[in-house]
Amino acid sequence: MKKSNILNIGVAVAGAITAILVKTAMKPCMSMMTTESGKQMPMRCHYAGVALFYLAILALVIGVDCVIEGKKSTLTCIALMVVTFAVFSGNIGIGVCMGEGMMCGHTKLLGMIAAVVWGVLGVAQFLIKGEKDL
């Protein structure tokens, strides 16, 4: 088995685990905020959790596709890492609320761990010589 296939399986597994955890044990808080017009809407940590779920599903699909096609997913893994960091950055992306002890802190931690895993897997694939890149 190619080294890149093993790493692509790791990308897919990390995506599956992240998707499951963001919907179960490490989901963001479901608190609502009131707008100036008096309407209720979810806080931004809800939207960050939704974005992380879709990024995790994307990682799962990319990992499986690259295993099937026999390609490396170097650049896609690095892009997943950058986008995940951007989602949880309050200056660039969605961010999370700053409330102490709220579940969104756990969701952010899950996102950061997933981003690091995808980045490490992407760099590891970059270091493999002689295999076709995506």
Side-chain angles (χ1 to χ4, degrees):
M1 182 180 274
K2 293 168 130 182
K3 293 176 189 174
S4 63
N5 276 348
I6 295 168
L7 295 173
N8 284 327
I9 291 169
V11 171
V13 168
I17 291 171
T18 301
I20 290 168
L21 285 176
V22 81
K23 288 296 185 181
T24 58
M26 300 182 97
K27 62 183 175 182
C29 57
M30 302 312 272
S31 300
M32 302 291 273
M33 65 179 206
T34 305
T35 63
E36 287 182 12
S37 64
K39 295 186 179 184
Q40 295 278 317
M41 65 180 281
M43 294 172 41
R44 64 185 181 162
C45 46
H46 164 75
Y47 298 109
V50 170
L52 179 59
F53 176 75
Y54 287 126
L55 286 169
I57 296 299
L58 181 63
L60 173 64
V61 169
I62 288 169
V64 169
D65 180 55
C66 287
V67 167
I68 293 169
E69 295 291 324
K71 297 179 183 176
K72 296 194 296 184
S73 60
T74 305
L75 296 176
T76 10
C77 287
I78 302 297
L80 278 169
M81 178 188 72
V82 170
V83 170
T84 305
F85 278 134
V87 163
F88 287 100
S89 169
N91 296 332
I92 300 170
I94 301 169
V96 295
C97 60
M98 304 305 267
E100 286 292 319
M102 295 183 78
M103 284 303 293
C104 48
H106 300 290
T107 306
K108 182 177 181 177
L109 175 66
L110 174 65
M112 296 298 109
I113 291 170
V116 169
V117 167
W118 291 325
V120 167
L121 291 171
V123 169
Q125 289 189 31
F126 176 75
L127 298 174
I128 296 173
K129 302 287 185 205
E131 292 184 19
K132 189 169 48 172
D133 202 350
L134 176 65

